Amino acid sequence: AEPAESDMPAGGSSLFSGFRVLGLYSNHVPHALRYHLKHRESYVVTAVGRSFHTFNVNRLGIVAVSNSLPDEITCLAADRMLVFAATGRLISAFARNKEVVMHYNGHEQEVRLLLPLGDQLISADSGGDVIVWDVQSGEVYLRLHFDPSTFDVLAMMHPSTYLNKVLLGSSQGALQLWNIKTSKLLFTFAGWSAGVTVLQQSPAVDVVGVGTATGRIIIHNIRLDETLMSFTQDWGPITSLSFRTDGPPIVASGSPQGHIAFWDLERHQLVTQHRHAHRTSIAGATFLQGEPILVTNGADNAIKVWIFDQEGGGARLLRIRQGHSAPPTTIHHHGNDGKNILSAGQDGTLQSFSTVHERFNKNLGSVNKKKEKKKKKGLTYEELRLPAITAFSSSVTRQSDWDGIVACHRDRLATTTWNYQRCTMGAHHLQPPGSRRGAIATVIAVDITSCGNFVVIGSSCGRVDVYNLQSGLHRGCYGDDEKAHNGVVRGIATDTLNQLTLTTGSDWLLKFWRFKSKKLEEEMKLNAAPASMKLHRESGMLALALDDFTLVVVDIETRRVVRKFAGHHGNINDMTFSPDGRWLVTVAMDCTIRVWDLPSGSLVDCFLVATAPVSVSLSPTGDFLATTHVDSLGLYLWTNKSLCGPVGLRPLPADYQPVVETLPGVTVEETEQEVNSEEEEEEDVYQSAEQLGAELVTLSLLPESRWKSLLHLDEIKKRNKPVAAPAAPAAAPFFLPTVPGLTPRFATQTQTEHETQVTYAWDPLTSGPEYVLVQTEDPLRLLKDCGPAALSVELNSLAPEGGGARELLLVFIQMIDSMLASGRDFDLAHAYLALFLKLHLRSLSQDATAMEALNHLLSRLEKGWAELQASFDQSLCLLSYAKSALL
């Protein structure tokens, strides 16, 4: 039954449902590495908010996403079976990289260190408690308490070959070696007058690497309490340490500036360094066991894999998964297929995210100043970077010939061009002629024409300029005195045929210009100052968001206002049209996403999100809606339900209260497989029933060579007759082995407990041979295991001449009859019966009982074949009609 008109949606959106989030890979929590023995592959586990992701190192493809935890993950650790994640005071253990199987609750402060050690888990919190847990039961095995003022635990490791030992490092600089089984302090190391930030086991036994807050790296022998060597980096505290285990004595150290240094332990010197390996602090750096590969992650939302194959021991970037390190501000779909989304973030980067697979993601790079400025000495990396992109426009029409993306920057009058195919920043910096360096005006709006040859740029001083994208030359400006508006230009749009240019500004005016002559044709007074503007070129509908939180839709053909919408309670941040121009989707600071139906002029869908959306884009195919949100690094995709089935949309009342819709999470790609622990059982695979229906005929799964050649064994043996004489068989043992029991029986090598066989025993009462047929649960299974030659021998042995009896012949006929009655193994039943009649038909013709059984079997055969023949004839008739009939 259809719902009543008064019924409102039960919750959330009636048009969109959360699908997945793009561009989330890592945060400030150090990663954890796992090696799967069965898959022979390494996996890296990174924390992203309240869940963690598992990537394979070979392709950096996501293979598992954990269930969400109630709070943000503060630290990660992994062993062969489980992944441990700490959220506040709670520690959770995950199986199969997804499901929570155990909770460890006992800390009074936030947990910041985790160390799996065999069947135990060691955790340390900020309050000075170090707890040893039993992993299976979740019980506390040992609890140690340290005074944070004298020994604040900041690092923890298990020295190799030291049974039940754990080494603790403190912010005061001292180190302590504890036996967690006997709860005894074995030794205290004085330290180096600096807080310990990292402890790492070296490939050599008894030797550990110690990283300090002053930037020192100490290689120390804990058995002799002797410092072997030390290094110092100038980039602040040591955030991570890792030793190469594939041969070269190299140790890598991370820094808060994002630099990585590589030190040679034999020559006691710096080998090489990678500056700005990450945009933020190096959260974790780990070498793969026995491989020249380094895995790093940082708070810049990036995972990088480095390989050491350069001359001089240098490393190069092998693989990368990177998103925005600061929240994205503007997104647009690029292309007509809707598979790529261009995104500009506050980090100054322009990136392309694929909705198909993350291996198609592109990073067009960060915004840098002109090349000639790079040659000047004394400029730092930060000084070369331009401000973040505030708005951009893209076109695919001529992107193969020249740059197809133009971007505006915060507090800059010049705009930059970008090339999507080369994934680089373009050669042009478009700036109005005669403008002074350091001018106060900034570029606000930009739009590329549909032909891809020109770009129209509006600035805060009221100028609207036209540039040629191929040459980067200025091609004129709109308005008298080179000013199109008496205020800030808030929006620019051009129509499909390059006939009109539409501009709007803070002077409350919407102006219509001739594109070629740049003359003003008409202007329209608005009810409030416009904040932004969006044109749907195919339908000619122009949407304007006003500062009074209302929306106005103008038809550029008639140049009249055709729709007015009100309902938002905050600034409208962005809007987009559906591909057919029927819907207008708007997002605002009131945390709502609203869908307006233009033909009916009503609100048809509205839902709340947890954080305010700042940008929105609907794909050209209409399948996905993409949104970005305040303080969020990801791009959230919403599925359009109307493409999957009928959706009943009706006008919502003015007092409609929207319901909060949960933001979508990360999903595993279909081409990837989930990683399970080594001892976890694989999921049950669906198995088809042995017989789908009693009226059907089921064939066996055996290859044709097992039953198709049964009638031609003589010819095959003659053809395969060996040329050389057969070798003499091995001598039989003097004492033949027998089977224990009252009746003496000889044992064979192939005899098992579950086989069906015919044995011959001596009956002491009759003083003659007695034939005993031993049956098992499935005698047909043993016949399937036999090859053609062995099967022929078995059937020959059923006759009295072969050592069998006439009763066995009747039993075999009954077995074939039961196979035909059940409909299973239809091909084997006919093949076995054909060989059986070829071998024993002459002897069976002299037995009336056997002939009666064969006649009964013949009637069953004729009935079965009649049903099959009728089905065959019907199918052949239908095929012949389809081929010859004139449809």
Side-chain angles (χ1 to χ4, degrees), residues 263-281:
W263 310 85
D264 193 319
L265 300 180
E266 286 186 352
R267 295 182 291 177
H268 299 186
Q269 66 181 14
L270 178 67
V271 178
T272 183
Q273 59 183 346
H274 277 281
R275 290 181 175 268
H276 308 290
H278 286 266
R279 299 173 64 92
T280 58
S281 174

Side-chain angles (χ1 to χ4, degrees), residues 740-816:
L742 299 177
T743 304
R745 301 176 183 176
F746 294 104
T748 61
Q749 295 181 356
T750 59
Q751 180 178 352
T752 60
E753 296 180 358
H754 300 286
E755 290 180 350
T756 300
Q757 56 183 347
V758 179
T759 59
Y760 311 101
W762 186 266
D763 190 351
L765 299 179
T766 60
S767 300
E770 177 187 8
Y771 302 97
V772 182
L773 179 64
V774 182
Q775 298 288 343
T776 61
E777 297 178 359
D778 191 5
L780 182 60
R781 179 176 59 85
L782 299 176
L783 293 179
K784 291 181 179 180
D785 295 336
C786 297
L791 189 62
S792 177
V793 173
E794 292 293 336
L795 294 187
N796 271 318
S797 64
L798 294 178
E801 297 81 4
R806 292 186 177 274
E807 291 79 3
L808 297 180
L809 299 176
L810 294 176
V811 172
F812 186 84
I813 295 175
Q814 294 174 1
M815 185 189 72
I816 298 296

Side-chain angles (χ1 to χ4, degrees), residues 33-51:
L33 276 182
R34 305 184 67 190
Y35 181 76
H36 202 288
L37 290 176
K38 183 178 179 181
H39 296 171
R40 295 183 179 180
E41 191 172 9
S42 297
Y43 297 91
V44 56
V45 182
T46 60
V48 179
R50 300 183 179 183
S51 62

